[in-house]
Amino acid sequence: MLLLLILSCWHISALDIKSTLKVYHSLFASILKKQHFSVYTDNSELKNAFSQSDKISLASSPSSANIVVASRKDTIIRAYQSGTIVLTTKYSLLDDSTRVIGALYWRKGRSQLLFVRNRLQQQGITLPKQYSKFIVDNL
Amino acid sequence: MSAKRTFKYTFTIMGLLILMATYIQYAIDKNTENLQTIEINKAKQYAEKIANYIQNNSCTPISSCLDNSIANKRALDKILHAFQSDNFTNLFVLYRDQKNNFRFLLDSSQDDQAEYKSVFFPESKEFNLIYDTGKPKLIEQSGNVKEVWLSLLHPIMDSNQTKALLVLDLSEKYGNSLKNFNSPLQNIILYLQLFTLFSIIFLAYIIYDSYKLKKSVLVDSLTSARTKLYRKEYFEEHQARKYNFILIDIDKFIQINDRFGRSIADRVLKEFVSYIRSVMPMNATIIRNHGAEFLLMIKKSDVDIARFSHILFDNLSSKKYYIADNIISFSVSMCAVQTPAEVKSFYDIEHIMDKKLLEIKSLGKDRLAILNDISHTDIKYKNIDHIKQAIDDNKLTCLFQPIYHSESKEIYKYEALVRIIDEDDPSRLIPPFYFMDLIRESVHYIRLSKWVIANAFRLLRENPTDRISVNLDLADLYNEEMIHIIQQEIQENKDLANRLTFEILEHQEIKDFDRIDMIFKQLKQFGSSIAIDDFGSGYANFGYIAKLDIDILKIDGSLIKVLDDSDTKMKTIIKLINDMGTSQNIKIVAEHVSSKKIYDILLELNVEFLQGFYLGKPKPWEEYHPST
């Protein structure tokens, strides 16, 4: 019985990772215009998910990555220095830092994806049409 | 209760249980649905009240109003927070900006409060629809929204325009708790349904097993004919009238057993049945009654029973069985019955067939009897159940035949002759010929005899000048219970006993004269007379006169009726009996006086008492006693 419970939890977790990776793969491909990505993240859950992807290689520092997914402010600062594209998992970090192009986070049980138009333009990023509804002019 | 009926009732109960469980299941589902509806309605009322409160306690437009008063926003947030609970997991207010993006205005959450006017993507197009129409709506959330079961969307209006949207999220946990509210009961019902289902499967298995077992006892393992049990179990008794029957018995089969051994005898039986099967009509059934006796049940419509029986009898009698270098042949005794329409059950004719077969076998076997004229009386009054019922219901009567004194030409006494009154037609009286042999050894016979004697004494008491004789079988005198009953009746009617005669009829030879003589003396203790019936034929002979104290001799009818043929030898014999009786002070009665010629001869021979149809037929007592 316990084994069944463990197996079912593992299965659910595996499904979560799969759906998370699907979202990020699509997002990274749209931003970076490539199929393989070097990603730096300070989020342990994302690290775990990214480590299971065959398209994502985890970078050891923001400077060696194509893109950074930050959950802490200091990571954003480090990414600034290297000029790497930054996404965040918190709305507050998106609001705080003008270099962060977008955020992927949960609010009231709903997943939120948000890009700021002028920040995308500043970094010369154009997103496919499917993302246009998530692009806002101001926060 | 029969197994068939038990299974029927059990299945009915199981079926009712399933129906009951299904109904309860439905009722529980309905109840759960009602509970959910009630709770959702409550939530709707909350949402409406909150929306109204916000509407009434903020200026317009609400977004600008809150921009100007952060204190007002905090106060409203607190109010929303007061409504937040485990069930109402999210409670927030959105407005739609000029770019049609939803943004937070108020949020009940204190731990994870959304930033004021931060963008919100609701994952549902319904938000825009409700904002446009201004009509509240309930949205069932899909798997994309975490931990939310339902969202209640209530517009906050101003001048018929939606200015904001109150969102009340009902938690997934709350939804599950409502859905599972009746789960213990649902589980019980589920277990009940499973139990009933397994019970039905188990019962079906038992029935199948029982069917297999029954089949094994319904088919004779040696011959593959059906067993007697099969007939009892599957042959509807009331259908007997639709069938004709043939009872077949292999003559002296035991000799085949002795001569050829059991295994060959068994093979003979097998081939015998196999042969009958090959010639009998397709729908006929062969049943092995026992040993070498078989019963064929053939639908009346299938074959002419008489013709078929003759052919079958000839074939079976001439058939030779070639088994293990032996050529075996044997005769059969057969009794075929063309079942009359009046037959109510197989039992009605079973004993008629048995009796007939026994008769055939006693006559030397190798015979075929076809009973195609069985009467209603045969069927009915050769069935002990009908006779028992008649005696129980007191459907009895006596006819009386007068015995005349030849010199005075007056009735000297009457012979009481018992009859059963037919239950369907009271005018039909059934003579003892039909039923006496069946009941002779039983308690019913004693009850019948007691009734006859008691009835005779009643009539003697009512008619002080009359005499009556009643019949007794010699075997009755060996029956202590019968003797006790007769003595009891005599004791109770001592004063009448001298007008009662016991006519003794024997079917067997008297061996113990001393015992019979003693019983005669007991019967005569209060003046009753003893008559020997059918004297001159069978066992009744002159030896009786010497050894027993007899009062009357009734000359056998077979001796009397030939007097009509001017038989001079018989006249001499009757004269001899009459002279001997007169000399021994024994009264002589001549029976079967059926014509004037016989009557005249008997008068000429000076026979003292005469009885017969010429003088008087058996009639009800009242017809000889019009005044009573």
Side-chain angles (χ1 to χ4, degrees), chain B residues 211-235 247 269-270 273-274 276-277 280 282-297:
Chain B
Y211 164 76
K212 272 203 318 190
L213 181 71
K214 200 181 259 182
K215 201 177 168 193
S216 70
V217 295
L218 295 178
V219 177
D220 178 51
S221 58
L222 173 67
T223 60
S224 298
R226 299 288 189 182
T227 59
K228 240 180 159 178
L229 189 65
Y230 169 84
R231 184 182 59 71
K232 285 178 183 163
E233 192 73 24
Y234 288 107
F235 182 68
L247 195 59
L269 278 181
K270 236 173 148 174
V273 170
S274 174
I276 293 176
R277 273 228 172 94
M280 73 186 192
M282 197 187 286
N283 295 324
T285 305
I286 181 164
I287 290 166
R288 188 182 181 188
N289 276 352
H290 50 77
E293 187 183 293
F294 297 87
L295 175 74
L296 263 176
M297 304 197 311

Side-chain angles (χ1 to χ4, degrees), chain A residues 91-92 105-114 133-134 136-139, chain B residues 90 99 101 103-104 107 109 112 115 118 120-121 123 141 145-146 151 169:
Chain A
Y91 179 84
S92 55
Y105 58 98
W106 287 94
R107 178 128 300 168
K108 309 297 173 198
R110 285 100 169 155
S111 64
Q112 304 289 307
L113 175 62
L114 190 60
K133 61 182 173 183
F134 301 113
V136 293
D137 291 335
N138 50 16
L139 290 174
Chain B
N90 299 314
K99 300 272 183 182
N101 289 320
R103 290 176 182 269
F104 283 100
D107 185 2
S109 174
D112 179 32
E115 291 78 359
S118 62
F120 178 71
F121 295 114
E123 291 258 357
Q141 291 297 0
V145 181
K146 277 185 180 173
S151 293
D169 283 342

Side-chain angles (χ1 to χ4, degrees), chain B residues 483 487 490 517-526:
Chain B
I483 293 296
Q487 283 180 334
I490 294 173
D517 195 45
M518 191 188 76
I519 292 167
F520 278 7
K521 281 189 169 64
Q522 286 172 0
L523 295 178
K524 292 169 72 170
Q525 191 183 355
F526 296 103

Side-chain angles (χ1 to χ4, degrees), chain B residues 49-63:
Chain B
K49 279 181 185 174
I50 296 164
N52 287 341
Y53 181 84
I54 293 168
Q55 198 170 322
N56 295 334
N57 289 278
S58 59
C59 52
T60 53
I62 185 170
S63 58

Side-chain angles (χ1 to χ4, degrees), chain B residues 11 37 56 179 185 281 338 348 426 434 499 624:
Chain B
F11 267 119
T37 310
N56 295 334
K179 277 177 199 162
L185 203 53
Q338 190 147 23
D348 281 344
Y434 287 102
R499 289 189 283 134
Y624 287 110

